[in-house]
Amino acid sequence: MEDCIFCKIANGQIPTDFVYKSDNVVVFNDINPKARVHMLVVPKVHIKSLNELEDKELMAELLQTVKDVTKKLGITDYKTLINTGRGAGQEVFHLHIHILSNS
Ligand code: AMP
C-alpha cells in the first residue's frame, strides 16, 4: 500500500536494519522502544490488522518467527502484543506483533 510506513520498510523503500528477514516476514526494532528489547514482526504483504488476516500459513509463520528470533537472540522471557483497531491502541494499520523483553 502506497502510504503505509511498514510496507515501505518491508519492501526496502526505507532503509532499515532488519533483525530477521524471510520471503514473507520482516522483523525490525521499534523506533520508540517500550522495553530493553522491542521488536516488531511484520508480514511483507499489506494486511490492515489481525481482523483481516486470512492466510493460515502466514499466521503460523508469524508466530514461528517470534519463536525463532527470540531463540536466536537468547531471549526466553518476553511479551507479545497485537493491537487490533484504533480503540485498542493500534496506530500503524499494517499488522504487526510486538515482542517486548527486559530480560
Ligand atoms: P501499534 O500501536 O500497535 O500500531 O504500534 C505501532 C508501533 O510502531 C509503535 O510502537 C511505534 O513506535 C512503531 N513505529 C512507528 N513507526 C515506526 C518506524 N518507522 N520504525 C519502527 N517502528 C515504528
Side-chain angles (χ1 to χ4, degrees), residues 19-72:
V19 177
Y20 170 88
K21 194 173 166 181
S22 76
D23 287 347
N24 306 310
V25 179
V26 293
V27 181
F28 52 89
N29 290 312
D30 195 290
I31 202 168
N32 182 21
K34 306 282 194 311
R36 189 181 68 76
V37 174
H38 187 174
M39 302 178 284
L40 301 172
V41 178
V42 177
K44 284 187 178 175
V45 65
H46 185 81
I47 297 169
K48 193 173 145 200
S49 80
L50 186 60
N51 286 337
E52 284 74 30
L53 177 58
E54 307 282 353
D55 181 339
K56 290 193 171 57
E57 279 184 26
L58 181 58
M59 231 179 251
E61 186 174 344
L62 288 166
L63 271 190
Q64 189 64 52
T65 300
V66 171
K67 286 188 60 184
D68 292 347
V69 168
T70 51
K71 187 172 180 189
K72 193 173 148 205

Side-chain angles (χ1 to χ4, degrees), residues 6 9 28-32 40 83 89-92 96 98:
F6 285 1
I9 290 173
F28 52 89
N29 290 312
D30 195 290
I31 202 168
N32 182 21
L40 301 172
N83 292 321
Q90 186 175 3
E91 290 174 358
V92 175
H96 51 281
H98 296 256

